[in-house]
Amino acid sequence: MLWKSLNAAGRLTLIAGPCVIESEELCLHVAATLKRTCDRLGVCYVFKASYDKANRTSSKSFRGLGLEHGLAVLAKVRARIGVPVLTDVHTEDQAEAAAQVADILQIPAFLCRQTDLIAAAVRTGKIVNLKKGQFLSPEEMGQVVEKAQNAGGKKLLVTERGTTFGYHNLVADMRSIPIMRRFGFPVIFDATHSVQLPGGGGDRSSGQREFAPVLARCAVAAGASGVFIETHPKPEEALSDGPNMIPLAKMNALLKSLLKVQSAVQ
């Protein structure tokens, strides 16, 4: 049913939630708020949050609640709020464990060339979201998709999240969306990571959240099937990626603007 919704022509998908699982209360609040908004607007909603941020800039940064506790929170969100959930995996063992809870397993951008990890995620039978590495061209993602297909993957998403552009900067090339659509799977645009400034804060990443809505609208106009957005009630207090996260209170207006763009293009 979820895969059918993700593939539905003309229906926008939103993958959104806090960057990392800070608490059960936060996740339930964000998921419930976005579900109400998406149900009202007819948007397919998937909750996302990470139980472990394994690629933080500094070893001192908050990583999350860990696999066991984090998955328990995701399971509660899924059951209590009634939404599908997505989380990223970093090892083959994590893929098997996360598949017991998550509807979609995500291959992080930094790990998108890890053949064994991709195969392990695909073997769970779950939908797999392949995030394009900041170091890859959109054409090269065809090889990543092929790896997943060779492992038996038939339910795949491909996500654009910006390309390294010098030090501490990313650029989003909208040509990547029609290019990656040629692979035959839905293309998602990660609006908030695309405005991240990696390492721009010295011992942490910085970001330019004001440009995330602009890029999200461009991506929908370019043919993206959905958007990936990290959001938080108070981004300035978020424990990870706060500078590029969109305030939860602004998500309703953003989604309405994306639907207008989608309607105009269609």
Side-chain angles (χ1 to χ4, degrees), residues 27-42:
C27 290
L28 289 170
H29 173 60
V30 171
T33 300
L34 291 177
K35 184 179 188 298
R36 287 193 297 270
T37 298
C38 290
D39 284 351
R40 186 173 64 252
L41 297 176

Side-chain angles (χ1 to χ4, degrees), residues 139-207:
E139 290 87 355
E140 289 174 279
M141 274 302 288
Q143 302 299 320
V144 177
V145 170
E146 186 175 320
K147 287 181 181 182
Q149 290 178 303
N150 288 342
K154 296 181 180 179
K155 296 182 290 184
L156 307 173
L157 303 174
V158 186
T159 295
E160 165 64 48
R161 53 95 70 235
T163 302
T164 299
F165 190 69
Y167 296 125
H168 312 306
N169 197 21
L170 300 170
V171 64
D173 181 356
M174 292 301 157
R175 292 176 298 181
S176 68
I177 293 171
I179 289 171
M180 294 196 297
R181 285 185 64 179
R182 298 171 191 165
F183 306 150
F185 297 100
V187 174
I188 307 296
F189 179 70
D190 184 341
T192 45
H193 281 112
S194 291
V195 298
Q196 187 183 66
L197 302 176
D203 64 347
R204 67 197 66 190
S205 292
S206 185

Side-chain angles (χ1 to χ4, degrees), residues 87-121:
T87 196
D88 35 9
V89 295
H90 308 92
T91 68
E92 296 160 60
D93 289 341
Q94 284 184 9
E96 185 175 348
Q100 304 305 310
V101 173
D103 299 274
I104 304 176
L105 300 182
Q106 179 169 279
I107 304 299
F110 284 122
L111 301 179
C112 71
R113 292 185 63 173
Q114 297 298 108
T115 306
D116 292 341
L117 176 60
I118 293 170

Side-chain angles (χ1 to χ4, degrees), residues 12 160 172 174 177-178 181 187-191 212-227 258 261 265:
L12 185 70
E160 165 64 48
M174 292 301 157
I177 293 171
R181 285 185 64 179
V187 174
I188 307 296
F189 179 70
D190 184 341
V214 178
L215 294 181
R217 288 190 287 268
C218 291
V220 171
S225 298
V227 291
L258 296 181
V261 172
V265 171

Side-chain angles (χ1 to χ4, degrees), residues 34-76:
L34 291 177
K35 184 179 188 298
R36 287 193 297 270
T37 298
C38 290
D39 284 351
R40 186 173 64 252
L41 297 176
V43 172
C44 174
Y45 175 53
V46 177
F47 175 81
K48 69 78 49 186
S50 300
Y51 52 81
D52 178 25
K53 297 299 293 184
N55 63 344
R56 297 304 304 272
T57 302
S58 170
S59 61
K60 298 177 183 178
S61 298
F62 179 73
R63 288 183 53 167
L65 302 184
L67 181 66
E68 185 175 350
H69 190 180
L71 290 179
V73 171
L74 291 176
K76 186 163 290 187

